[in-house]
Amino acid sequence: MKKVLFLMILLGFTVDTWAQFRRNRERSGAGAENNLNYANPAEYAIAGIEVTGLNILDKNAMVSLTGLKVGDKIKIPGDAITTAIRSLWKHGLVGDVTIKVDRIEGENVYLNIVLAERPRLTSFYFTGISKSQESGLKEDLTLIRGKIVNDAMVRNTELAVKKYFVKKGFLNTEVKITQDADTLRDGIIMRIAVNPKSKVKINHIAFTGNENIDDAKLKKKMKGTHERPRFALHRTLLKEIAGIRPKEFMDSSYKVSWKEAKEFLNDNVKLNIFSSSKFIQSDYEDDKKAVVAYFNTKGYRDAEIVTDTVYAHDGRTIDIDLHIYEGPKYYFRNIIWTGNYIYTDKQLGAVLGISKGDVYNNEMIQKKLQFNPKGMDISGLYMDDGYLFFRINPVEVAVEGDSIDVEMRIFEGEQATINEVTIAGNERTSDHVIRRELSTIPGQKFRRSDIIRTQQKLGQLGYFAPDKIGQNLVPNPANGTVDVQWTVEEQSNDQVELSGGWGGYYGFVGTLGLTFNNFSLRNIPHFEHWRPLPVGDGQRLSLRAQANGRSFQSYSFSFTEPWLGGRKPHSLSVSFNSSFQRYPYGITTSDNDSRLQVHSVTVGLGRLLEWPDNYFTLTNSVSYLRYILQNWNSGLGYTDGVSNSFTFNTTLARNSIDNPMYPAQGSTISLSVTLTPPFSLWRDINYSTAEPAVKYQWIEYHKWMFDAKYYLPLDNKKKLVLEAKAHFGFIGKYTDKAGIGPFERFYLGGDGLAGGFNSFLLGQEVIGLRGYQNNSITPPYYDQSLNSGQGVLAGGIVYDKLGLELRYPVTTGNAATIYGFVFTEAGNNWNNYDDFNPFNLYKSAGFGARIFMPAFGLIGLNWGYGFDPVPLNGRGPVSGSQFHFTIGQQLR
């Protein structure tokens, strides 16, 4: 037994010894083959470097990242190999790195870099969110297909998704990213699972330490951080509002008395009831600064928020506690002026408007010192007199008790002269068209008011986007000059009118109109300036045609040169009109026997005035109109004959609006007088017995029109705008024997478009009044069914119209200007001065929208409600609901 055991042990030892021998032999053999001794590193020259395992990455780039190159001498093993591996890892392009010795030939070594590339992103998708949220989120992410997917990329994506939803008020958003293998494209598909949970809203904002300013005023200054309305409006409260008084009011958690509920509503619910209460960190930080700034404006110069705490109220809301240190209230004591030589202390003090004992307010100081478009400021006082290099620095020089002395340190410098004026951005409009509008002229003294006026004038041209007109001032204090560069962005304001409408008994009437507002006669032979017609010189060309066949045709042409001669702003305008109409059915035995033709020509001259200011223009024009009636039952009192109208018109106007398409501030005022010669003074006829065809052969009247519009911005961004307007018109006679004829009378009511195609041909003045049917407020008023008004001249000789319109834009870009509005207006129309009462008006209100597109002009849709009955002998219901469609920019 012992022998057997001994033999087994001996056999095991022999097998183990043989295995160990074989392992040593293989190891020594390999080492011998490469001549490597791992216990004693040797130096070799790199004779070649191979890279394996690449699919997308570039071989040469990978070798370059290692720092190894052919010809280098390295020790194997040694630090060079270790450093090379670390370099590849550092760039995050690969997931695994091994550097092997391929073979050794003498003192040369051949290396093989074995790499495993990191997977790349082939696509990604979201779960748990809506399509709209997904669309907005993709803009914030930097995920690019083909990008390497690593831990940093996954983490950054997760943080970006959370940040996006935190901005939206979802503070508890959870994001989980899963990587799935894309076997088709050898990459990674990233699934981003988002659980926004509920929006975190602000339950309550509490202030402590504010002893002199109450919480409600501070909360109003937090524009982006609002409490949610903490009172759930119960059905019983709605009944109370309707007049059914409940005994008590209940919200979701407790009962309160009606008195307590009403007090709470008065103090809290009406505040920010329509505002969002979600918590956004960036808005919160801004609002904290606004709270401190508000304390500063009230004299609390040292006020600060000592601590602020945001903590969870429940799973969906948070509470905010703000502890404030008010500090003492300070007052102005002495205002000390130094460095001023041009203006006295008294003059500067009057502009500053701060007296001893006023509450200290550094913000008010800055507004009075810097540019203030709404009033006088110190900088404007100097810069309007050429002192471009003027500087002022207010310094608190003494703080004693609650009083502060402020020293105004002024550097006046010298007056600056405009050296060079350049223009950039005008691709269609010629430089001279812009330069003639500039108030900044080389060689003249610099004035800030000229900069403001030029920007306004360029905006009124309509050729450039008003919000993109800018100026770059490059002052040169060394020689006392300044260069001015004006930058503009072209916008198309040519218009194409292609429309059709129902023309009463004429049936369908088509309209084609073309208006080119930046036309150029000079560039007609230069085809490179045709876009599609020659443009660039600021001239206005308008062509318009209306027709429905033989029954109605109307053609018009007008041309305006705003700078006749090119040296002074004297405009020349010429227009021609020709219209023709027949009755489409049997008034007479033959259509050809019943017709009306009107032909007219107008020539006008205008100029820009410098007094009272350079917003005024004066325009004079002469017109000749010829009306030809042949068997035409027109209501004029005669059916055959020719009427001639020769008129002289003069218009004094002032225009200071900032944007012709969406005015946000400024005004337009116009007084127009139209006179015909007093033919009745030398015509040898008896007007009381003469036939109407003879009586109206030469038309005579004098007409006075007044129009005014004022635009008031109601917010700092000049988006919410109030338009107030007033319009008056009067027609008079020279002598009692001639009276007032049937032409140029007022037709009131409706959309302001020509109510029938007759209206233009008969020279009527059509004025809109929304909420009433077209021309419904036009005397005389009689019941058509009684056939009692025949032979009476129609139309008013005096009218007035007042209105308010509150506007808000949807967009004011170059492609289109769209805005909505609500309005109220009132007007009336009289055919004699005895009944004229400017306060007896037909009233209406409503809402609508307008859209301006350069190719089609201004189009509007209005809904109005007329509150009064139409003037048909005082009978009938109120006018009620009316829809109106408008085309073009309407004056009245």
Side-chain angles (χ1 to χ4, degrees), residues 437-465:
E437 301 293 338
L438 301 182
S439 299
T440 54
I441 301 173
Q444 288 189 353
K445 181 172 63 178
F446 174 84
R447 294 191 304 177
R448 189 184 65 176
S449 59
D450 290 339
I451 296 289
I452 298 172
R453 179 67 178 115
T454 297
Q455 188 163 1
Q456 189 175 39
K457 290 169 69 176
L458 292 178
Q460 290 175 345
L461 290 176
Y463 311 149
F464 314 111

Side-chain angles (χ1 to χ4, degrees), residues 77 81 240 266 292 334 414 434-435 515 517 546 559 596 626 649-650 671 725 729 760 873:
I81 298 296
E240 169 63 20
N266 290 335
V292 174
N334 297 314
E414 61 177 315
I434 301 176
R435 289 191 180 277
T515 301
N517 290 298
Q546 287 183 299
F559 175 80
L596 170 64
R626 184 174 178 86
N649 174 271
T650 183
L671 176 62
K725 57 186 177 182
F760 166 74
N873 293 334

Side-chain angles (χ1 to χ4, degrees), residues 503-712:
Y505 51 71
Y506 292 110
F508 180 83
V509 176
T511 301
L512 173 62
L514 301 173
T515 301
F516 303 95
N517 290 298
N518 195 4
F519 189 72
S520 174
L521 283 177
R522 180 176 58 92
N523 286 330
I524 290 178
H526 304 289
F527 293 101
E528 66 272 15
H529 296 290
W530 285 53
R531 303 176 185 176
L533 290 181
V535 298
D537 283 344
Q539 299 161 349
R540 188 175 189 271
L541 176 66
S542 180
L543 305 169
R544 195 167 187 264
Q546 287 183 299
N548 81 329
R550 296 180 66 252
S551 298
F552 175 80
Q553 297 175 17
S554 176
Y555 308 96
S556 64
F557 164 86
S558 67
F559 175 80
T560 301
E561 167 55 75
W563 283 66
L564 185 62
R567 294 183 176 272
K568 293 184 178 181
H570 294 171
S571 64
L572 169 67
S573 61
V574 179
S575 65
F576 301 93
N577 294 275
S578 182
S579 301
F580 174 87
Q581 63 177 318
R582 290 187 178 94
Y583 283 118
Y585 51 81
I587 299 296
T588 61
T589 57
S590 173
D591 289 345
N592 293 329
D593 296 332
S594 179
R595 67 178 66 185
L596 170 64
Q597 299 179 60
V598 178
H599 309 288
S600 69
V601 58
T602 301
V603 178
L605 290 172
R607 62 191 179 99
L608 180 68
L609 303 180
E610 295 294 333
W611 186 89
D613 58 38
N614 57 10
Y615 293 103
F616 279 88
T617 57
L618 179 64
T619 304
N620 298 305
S621 64
V622 291
S623 301
Y624 174 71
L625 287 85
R626 184 174 178 86
Y627 300 87
I628 305 173
L629 287 75
Q630 179 180 334
N631 198 19
W632 185 259
N633 186 9
S634 61
L636 297 177
Y638 68 105
T639 59
D640 292 274
V642 176
S643 295
N644 301 276
S645 176
F646 183 81
T647 61
F648 170 78
N649 174 271
T650 183
T651 301
L652 180 65
R654 185 181 188 273
N655 184 355
S656 62
I657 63 173
D658 57 343
N659 185 344
M661 288 302 102
Y662 188 78
Q665 64 181 18
S667 62
T668 61
I669 302 174
S670 172
L671 176 62
S672 174
V673 181
T674 303
L675 307 171
T676 68
F679 295 108
S680 60
L681 295 181
W682 57 77
R683 292 187 69 195
D684 188 17
I685 63 172
N686 187 339
Y687 277 85
S688 60
T689 60
E691 292 291 332
V694 178
K695 182 178 179 180
Y696 300 132
Q697 183 179 1
W698 291 97
I699 302 169
E700 67 174 72
Y701 62 89
H702 55 89
K703 182 165 70 172
W704 305 72
M705 304 291 287
F706 175 80
D707 302 284
K709 293 182 180 180
Y710 177 73
Y711 299 92
L712 176 66

Side-chain angles (χ1 to χ4, degrees), residues 103-356:
R103 66 183 184 277
I104 294 176
E105 296 178 355
E107 295 183 353
N108 296 327
V109 64
Y110 293 83
L111 301 179
N112 183 13
I113 303 174
V114 182
L115 302 177
E117 292 186 16
R118 286 187 180 273
R120 293 180 178 268
L121 183 67
T122 57
S123 64
F124 63 92
Y125 64 97
F126 298 91
T127 61
I129 58 176
S130 66
K131 292 293 184 181
S132 60
Q133 289 174 325
E134 181 178 330
S135 177
L137 183 56
K138 285 181 177 179
E139 296 179 2
D140 285 13
L141 297 181
T142 57
L143 293 178
I144 303 173
R145 290 175 175 82
K147 192 174 182 179
I148 292 174
V149 179
N150 52 33
D151 293 341
M153 173 191 179
V154 173
R155 181 59 181 165
N156 290 337
T157 301
E158 180 180 333
L159 293 175
V161 173
K162 284 186 176 181
K163 183 178 180 181
Y164 173 83
F165 281 97
V166 166
K167 288 182 181 179
K168 303 293 183 181
F170 299 92
L171 269 63
N172 297 322
T173 299
E174 293 181 354
V175 181
K176 184 178 180 181
I177 297 178
T178 305
Q179 302 177 39
D180 300 323
D182 187 347
T183 56
L184 295 178
R185 290 173 290 184
D186 192 20
I188 292 294
I189 299 174
M190 187 179 292
R191 180 168 64 91
I192 307 172
V194 184
N195 182 8
K197 296 189 175 181
S198 300
K199 281 188 177 182
V200 174
K201 297 189 176 183
I202 302 168
N203 175 63
H204 183 58
I205 301 174
F207 295 91
T208 57
N210 53 314
E211 299 177 357
N212 297 288
I213 300 179
D214 58 40
D215 292 6
K217 291 182 179 178
L218 297 179
K219 289 177 183 178
K220 286 183 179 179
K221 298 301 172 184
M222 302 181 75
K223 303 298 184 182
T225 310
H226 305 293
E227 293 176 338
R228 66 174 181 174
R230 290 158 48 210
F231 228 47
L233 297 181
H234 197 270
R235 186 175 299 172
T236 52
L237 176 61
L238 300 178
K239 291 182 179 180
E240 169 63 20
I241 295 173
I244 305 172
R245 183 181 181 86
K247 292 182 179 180
E248 62 183 10
F249 179 89
M250 180 185 294
D251 77 350
S252 59
S253 60
Y254 58 90
K255 293 183 178 181
V256 297
S257 68
W258 171 248
K259 181 179 179 180
E260 292 173 325
K262 191 162 67 171
E263 289 177 353
F264 183 87
L265 288 172
N266 290 335
D267 295 339
N268 295 277
V269 174
K270 66 183 180 181
L271 300 175
N272 301 325
I273 192 168
F274 298 111
S275 300
S276 171
S277 62
K278 64 187 178 184
F279 179 82
I280 299 176
Q281 186 67 38
S282 58
D283 290 346
Y284 175 58
E285 297 298 330
D286 293 339
D287 288 339
K288 287 193 295 182
K289 296 177 183 178
V291 168
V292 174
Y294 182 66
F295 273 99
N296 296 158
T297 62
K298 298 301 179 182
Y300 299 97
R301 165 179 168 272
D302 301 331
E304 62 176 328
I305 296 176
V306 180
T307 59
D308 67 289
T309 307
V310 179
Y311 56 94
H313 174 74
D314 53 35
R316 300 179 61 180
T317 62
I318 60 173
D319 290 338
I320 300 176
D321 290 343
L322 296 154
H323 180 63
I324 295 173
Y325 169 72
E326 286 185 337
K329 189 172 185 177
Y330 292 92
Y331 300 86
F332 287 107
R333 186 172 65 179
N334 297 314
I335 304 294
I336 306 164
W337 301 91
T338 62
N340 54 306
Y341 302 100
I342 307 301
Y343 298 102
T344 65
D345 294 1
K346 185 176 181 179
Q347 290 173 312
L348 297 176
V351 175
L352 186 65
I354 297 176
S355 303
K356 186 175 183 179

